[in-house]
Amino acid sequence: MPQLCLNCGYAVPAGFAYCPQCGTEVGSTVRWDRDFISAILDTAAALVVVLDTQGRIVRFNRACELATGYSFYEVAGQCFWDLLLLPEETEPVKAVFRQLAVGQFPNQHENHWLTKEGHRRLIAWSNTALVDESGAVEYVIGTGIDITERRQAQDALKRAHDELELRVQERTAELEDLNRALRESEERFRLAFENAAIGMALVDTGGAFLRVNQALCRMLGYSRRELLQKTFQEITLAEDLEIGAELFRDLMAGRRDYGWLEKRYLCKDGHILWGLLSTSVVRNSHGQPAYLVSQIQDLTERKEAEVRLVEKEEQYRSIFEATSDGLIICDMDGTIVEANPAFCDMLGYGLAAIAGSRLTTFIHASDQARLEGHLQSVRLGMLFQGQAIALRQDGTEFLVEMNGTPLTYRGGPQVLCVVRELTERILTRQMLEMRVAARTRELAALYDVTAVASASLELETVLERSLGRVLEVMGCDVGGIHLWDEARQALAVAAWHGTAAGTPVESNALSRDGGPVGWVLEHGEPLVVPDLAGYPRARLLAVAGAEARAYVGAPVHAKGQILGVLSVVGEPGRQFDAEEVALLASIADQVGVAVDNARLYQQAERLAVLEERDRLARELHDSVTQTLYSANLMVETGYRAAQAGDQQNTMAYLRRVGEITQAALKEMRLLLYELRPPALEQDRLAGALQKRLDAVEGRAGIEARLLIEGQINVPWDVEEALYRIAVEALNNALRHAAAQSVSVTICADEAGIRLEVVDDGRGFSPEAAREAGGMGLASMRQRAERVGGILSIDSVPGIETRVQVSVNLDPQEVPL
């Protein structure tokens, strides 16, 4: 009965003292570690598969992978009968497996395995099992030998034998014995030839193939018939023909009986195969060469790997040589093995003087002990990083940064050090910091100019502050801003710092193609004049001593139109660089926006005055004028009644005249108050509303109240909008609602402000009022929306009217 090898798991046939698989003595208790056993299994020629008690694959050695085409990772955990067995053989094999799983082992059997490509391979199995301490089966181990070719050969031999036996059955027993011996010898050779893992061929003395095995056919991509019609010269790369021909001549001449060489072969598909050719000559009984026995082993992968390795080494060498940082390779004792040109240049030595020297030779004595500690870190497999003082050949010292890492070089452990000089880096950093600081100042100046232009609509203020900031950041004392008037008829000095510009320069005194300002206006782009002394009509700048100064100017743009020129005059010899010119152009654009905004604001103010004047004229015509006309008619009618002696009608007409004149007086007070509103800058919102209530509602006999909750602290535009909305609401209550009392309530906190105006008049329909377009509701809503407020009006005919506006404030917008 076979015994299980305790070392590799092979089922050793009875009578063997040593395992034919691994050579371990049968019955030996020697056990190897798992990695070693795994290595043995993967290098064993026999197929070894380990299954759990459910038939799942837990081990699948390299021979199994080669035989089936499956990798272990593709079959791991799968039942082997689902993947590898023929359907018709599944149940018999399962029966064998069940016997093993219940402890009936070892046993032997044969069955077919299906390869990944669908081919059948006949395997002869010797099976056993591994049991745990209780004797229960843990794993089933199958050790198999692929006997497909052998069985095929045996079948073919049997058929040949039967045929031959029919033909020679009349021969003598002696000839039969001789033939049998010859057949057996031939079979052994054929099996060895056909089943060899490497390519084999018999070649005649002319180089033609007499016989080839399947491995060689697979290797070269030819069928057996195609290959037998060729010579070895035809499948050899032309460049390698002479190498093979020389060996062939030596064998034919008897100078050598065997030999080997590496050469390249042309495969059928055109790709090149590197092969290791081992060949020997077989001679006849006369000592003459009969044929050659050649073996070819595929070296393509190894050769390609060697080429890639050489390419990698050349790439690494190129990088090593071209790197601007110093690179050195040291052994673990700190002796320099290699150094790149950057390191040699850094120290001022040649490579011959550096290679073979200790790294500490080039380090200041105060840092040598620390460097030795770094090298010790690398010996322990760690990285190091630090700084040290290096020494040049001329004795000068300089600071370097060193980074070290372990490296395998020339087959041994080494240290790769990157050495970087810090002096240049420090200077570069300082220059960068200076440039960043200068750029920050320039951006701050641009931001300041933008802030000034956004914060004020007073053109003179914006120009003065912007010009001052420009001169400050550019380090100059003299500069100015020339602007066209709105009609573009005259060019004037709108702002000037430094030497007085004198009277404004009129356009008829400035030639458009004369001075620098004219050039900028004409070309619409910045101008730099290093020396004004050589520039024509430079005196038009009206700067004392300008002839010896430098000048830079940029056009002031707005909406694609040139509004003027921003000019800076520097000291003699001053050089304005490109960044300063770009900054001046950016600031000039901001100034252009400010000028355009200021002019638009002035136009808007003029239009508002005209609109207000037209509105008051309409109010005077619609109310006061008509009222006075009515009063005049009443006076004439009353006069006629008095002449007629009708005292009763005369008194009635006089009372009616009094009522009409009283209404006219109230309307006139309201219009006069609108013409002369209180100064919000002095009285602010609460004071202005109180004065309004006293001056208009109080004199009209209407009960008026003002309630304040919280501290009113809002931006000016919000305060003005709320005041205008409140006045409009009060006007509506006075004119249209016939109110007897009104109240104004202001509630303010950190989040915002709410204004509410309530009257007890006869009310109205807001929808009807909006459709009619009267009572100023649209104006009130627009004022609220401009400051981000929400307006609501609650009024029903015959009930009180409530006007409310709420404005939420950003804490950053609240004035301090």
Side-chain angles (χ1 to χ4, degrees):
M1 179 179 295
Q3 301 183 57
L4 179 65
C5 177
L6 298 179
N7 183 36
C8 68
Y10 183 77
V12 181
F16 280 73
Y18 294 91
C19 174
Q21 182 70 25
C22 66
T24 303
E25 183 179 359
V26 175
S28 172
T29 59
V30 175
R31 289 186 178 273
W32 304 90
D33 63 274
R34 177 175 293 180
D35 292 338
F36 187 72
I37 292 175
S38 177
I40 291 176
L41 293 179
D42 283 339
T43 57
L47 284 70
V48 180
V49 61
V50 180
L51 311 170
D52 63 15
T53 57
Q54 302 300 318
R56 293 187 293 262
I57 298 173
V58 298
R59 190 71 178 88
F60 198 74
N61 75 339
R62 180 62 177 164
C64 290
E65 292 179 333
L66 293 175
T68 65
Y70 290 105
S71 69
F72 172 66
Y73 297 103
E74 293 177 292
V75 303
Q78 299 192 52
C79 289
F80 75 98
W81 49 70
D82 294 336
L83 184 67
L84 301 172
L85 297 184
L86 299 175
E88 61 270 21
E89 294 182 357
T90 300
E91 288 305 321
V93 175
K94 282 186 175 180
V96 175
F97 178 78
R98 284 193 292 269
Q99 293 176 1
L100 292 167
V102 298
Q104 297 180 17
F105 58 84
N107 63 32
Q108 297 180 353
H109 75 284
E110 294 179 1
N111 66 273
H112 288 87
W113 265 15
L114 279 173
T115 68
K116 189 175 183 179
E117 296 179 352
H119 302 306
R120 297 185 180 191
R121 307 298 298 179
L122 182 62
I123 312 297
W125 293 102
S126 296
N127 305 313
T128 186
L130 289 179
V131 298
D132 58 16
E133 295 178 353
S134 64
V137 173
E138 282 189 306
Y139 298 99
V140 173
I141 303 174
T143 304
I145 298 175
D146 188 345
I147 61 172
T148 305
E149 284 78 11
R150 186 178 69 187
R151 180 60 55 84
Q152 293 172 351
Q154 290 174 349
D155 293 341
L157 178 62
K158 185 176 181 304
R159 290 192 298 272
H161 175 73
D162 292 340
E163 293 174 1
L164 183 61
E165 191 172 316
L166 291 175
R167 292 194 298 268
V168 298
Q169 42 184 278
E170 295 180 356
R171 296 194 178 196
T172 63
E174 181 180 357
L175 183 58
E176 184 177 344
D177 292 339
L178 179 60
N179 288 335
R180 185 182 302 112
L182 290 174
R183 285 195 304 271
E184 291 175 353
S185 176
E186 174 66 20
E187 183 64 19
R188 284 193 297 271
F189 176 77
R190 191 183 70 82
L191 287 175
F193 184 86
E194 290 293 338
N195 296 326
I198 62 176
M200 294 188 67
L202 302 182
V203 183
D204 67 14
T205 55
F209 289 108
L210 301 175
R211 192 171 184 177
V212 293
N213 70 346
Q214 191 60 36
L216 183 61
C217 294
R218 286 196 302 269
M219 190 182 301
L220 297 176
Y222 291 100
S223 67
R224 190 186 304 272
R225 176 175 297 179
E226 290 172 332
L227 204 53
L228 290 176
Q229 295 174 357
K230 293 184 177 293
T231 65
F232 82 87
Q233 293 92 338
E234 292 174 340
I235 64 170
T236 299
L237 193 67
E239 291 84 345
D240 294 349
L241 273 175
E242 185 56 33
I243 301 175
E246 181 180 355
L247 175 60
F248 186 76
R249 288 192 294 268
D250 287 347
L251 293 172
M252 292 298 99
R255 292 188 292 271
R256 302 170 64 178
D257 290 330
Y258 63 90
W260 65 271
L261 54 84
E262 293 180 358
K263 59 184 294 189
R264 289 168 290 181
Y265 295 90
L266 287 172
C267 299
K268 183 178 179 179
D269 59 7
H271 82 271
I272 297 174
L273 179 144
W274 272 96
L276 175 62
L277 171 65
S278 300
T279 186
S280 60
V281 63
V282 177
R283 304 183 184 276
N284 57 23
S285 58
H286 303 289
Q288 298 298 319
Y291 56 87
L292 300 173
V293 179
S294 298
Q295 299 181 9
I296 302 174
Q297 183 178 353
D298 190 351
L299 300 180
T300 305
E301 290 187 5
R302 192 192 78 185
K303 284 292 186 178
E304 291 176 350
E306 291 176 354
V307 171
R308 288 194 298 269
L309 179 60
V310 171
E311 292 176 351
K312 285 286 186 183
E313 289 179 350
E314 291 177 353
Q315 292 174 1
Y316 292 149
R317 171 58 62 178
S318 299
I319 296 172
F320 186 82
E321 297 289 342
T323 301
S324 58
D325 291 332
L327 298 178
I328 54 175
I329 299 176
C330 305
D331 62 19
M332 287 300 177
D333 293 330
T335 301
I336 298 175
V337 178
E338 287 280 358
N340 73 337
F343 183 77
C344 297
D345 295 341
M346 189 183 301
L347 296 178
Y349 289 95
L351 179 60
I354 293 177
S357 302
R358 296 271 297 172
L359 179 57
T360 52
T361 305
F362 309 104
I363 301 299
H364 194 275
S366 59
D367 292 330
Q368 291 180 0
R370 185 162 61 252
L371 179 59
E372 290 291 349
H374 291 330
L375 292 175
Q376 180 61 29
S377 299
V378 177
R379 296 186 192 104
L380 298 176
M382 297 182 292
L383 309 178
F384 79 79
Q385 180 178 5
Q387 296 181 357
I389 298 175
L391 302 174
R392 292 191 177 91
Q393 185 178 19
D394 59 8
T396 57
E397 301 175 358
F398 62 102
L399 185 64
V400 296
E401 179 184 69
M402 302 183 68
N403 295 276
T405 182
L407 174 73
T408 300
Y409 181 69
R410 295 180 179 175
Q414 309 283 352
V415 181
L416 173 64
C417 290
V418 181
V419 183
R420 184 172 298 150
E421 186 174 354
L422 294 181
T423 307
E424 183 177 353
R425 181 190 296 182
I426 293 173
L427 293 176
T428 302
R429 180 181 300 174
Q430 291 175 348
M431 292 179 61
L432 181 60
E433 290 175 351
M434 292 173 61
R435 291 179 63 86
V436 169
R439 186 59 176 164
T440 302
R441 289 194 300 271
E442 294 172 358
L443 292 177
L446 181 59
Y447 174 80
D448 292 345
V449 171
T450 304
V452 169
S454 302
S456 176
L457 291 173
E458 292 293 333
L459 182 57
E460 183 178 353
T461 301
V462 172
L463 296 180
E464 288 291 334
R465 293 182 180 178
S466 299
L467 180 58
R469 195 68 179 91
V470 170
L471 295 177
E472 178 184 348
V473 74
M474 298 190 73
C476 297
D477 298 327
V478 180
I481 300 176
H482 293 73
L483 292 179
W484 287 111
D485 61 10
E486 294 189 32
R488 299 186 66 82
Q489 297 298 318
L491 185 72
V493 178
W496 196 273
H497 285 187
T499 303
T503 58
V505 180
E506 299 294 337
S507 60
N508 56 8
L510 178 65
S511 174
R512 293 293 298 273
D513 58 353
V517 173
W519 190 97
V520 174
L521 288 173
E522 180 180 358
H523 293 82
E525 60 186 48
L527 171 67
V528 177
V529 180
D531 184 5
L532 284 172
Y535 199 89
R537 297 179 64 84
R539 59 181 181 81
L540 291 177
L541 286 172
V543 181
E547 297 79 9
R549 293 173 177 259
Y551 170 85
V552 59
V556 176
H557 289 102
K559 298 179 180 178
Q561 188 178 30
I562 298 178
L563 304 181
V565 178
L566 172 59
S567 301
V568 174
V569 180
E571 295 294 330
R574 170 64 191 270
Q575 299 291 327
F576 294 104
D577 58 29
E579 293 182 355
E580 291 177 315
V581 175
L583 174 63
L584 189 68
S586 299
I587 295 177
D589 289 339
Q590 293 298 321
V591 171
V593 172
V595 171
D596 188 58
N597 289 341
R599 289 178 175 176
L600 289 175
Y601 180 70
Q602 292 172 357
Q603 293 175 5
E605 283 187 329
R606 288 195 294 270
L607 290 175
V609 169
L610 292 176
E611 289 177 0
E612 188 68 12
R613 183 180 298 171
D614 292 341
R615 186 184 70 82
L616 291 174
R618 290 194 303 271
E619 293 287 344
L620 284 170
H621 178 269
D622 295 341
S623 59
V624 179
T625 303
Q626 293 181 5
T627 300
L628 293 176
Y629 180 73
S630 299
N632 185 48
L633 292 177
M634 288 293 178
V635 169
E636 291 181 359
T637 304
Y639 177 73
R640 287 194 296 269
Q643 285 181 334
D646 189 351
Q647 186 177 2
Q648 183 177 356
N649 284 334
T650 300
M651 294 300 295
Y653 285 129
L654 289 176
R655 283 195 300 272
R656 181 59 180 157
V657 169
E659 291 175 356
I660 292 175
T661 55
Q662 185 66 30
L665 180 61
K666 182 171 65 175
E667 189 70 24
M668 284 298 297
R669 287 193 184 117
L670 179 61
L671 292 175
L672 289 173
Y673 189 82
E674 291 184 12
L675 285 173
R676 294 178 298 176
L680 287 177
E681 293 184 359
Q682 296 178 1
D683 298 325
R684 304 308 298 267
L685 180 60
L689 287 175
Q690 186 63 58
K691 285 187 176 182
R692 156 63 196 239
L693 294 175
D694 294 340
V696 179
E697 279 72 19
R699 294 184 180 183
I702 298 175
E703 182 183 353
R705 292 177 298 170
L706 176 64
L707 303 176
I708 306 295
E709 298 180 8
Q711 183 69 31
I712 301 176
N713 189 22
V714 297
W716 167 254
D717 58 340
V718 175
E719 197 166 7
E720 182 181 14
L722 293 177
Y723 173 75
R724 296 295 182 185
I725 293 171
V727 169
E728 187 68 33
L730 292 172
N731 291 345
N732 290 336
L734 186 64
R735 290 173 176 168
H736 309 292
Q740 297 301 314
S741 67
V742 294
S743 64
V744 180
T745 304
I746 301 175
C747 299
D749 55 24
E750 294 181 354
I753 187 170
R754 178 173 57 85
L755 170 72
E756 186 177 75
V757 179
V758 181
D759 68 74
D760 62 353
R762 55 174 167 264
F764 67 99
S765 172
E767 290 78 10
R770 279 196 295 270
E771 292 176 1
M775 302 186 70
L777 298 184
S779 174
M780 296 165 65
R781 195 172 304 279
Q782 290 174 359
R783 291 183 187 275
E785 291 176 352
R786 278 199 292 266
V787 295
I790 299 175
L791 177 72
S792 64
I793 300 176
D794 184 11
S795 180
V796 178
I799 305 177
E800 67 179 15
T801 298
R802 185 182 302 271
V803 177
Q804 181 176 289
V805 59
S806 300
V807 181
N808 294 326
L809 298 176
D810 187 339
Q812 297 180 355
E813 296 179 355
V814 177
L816 300 177

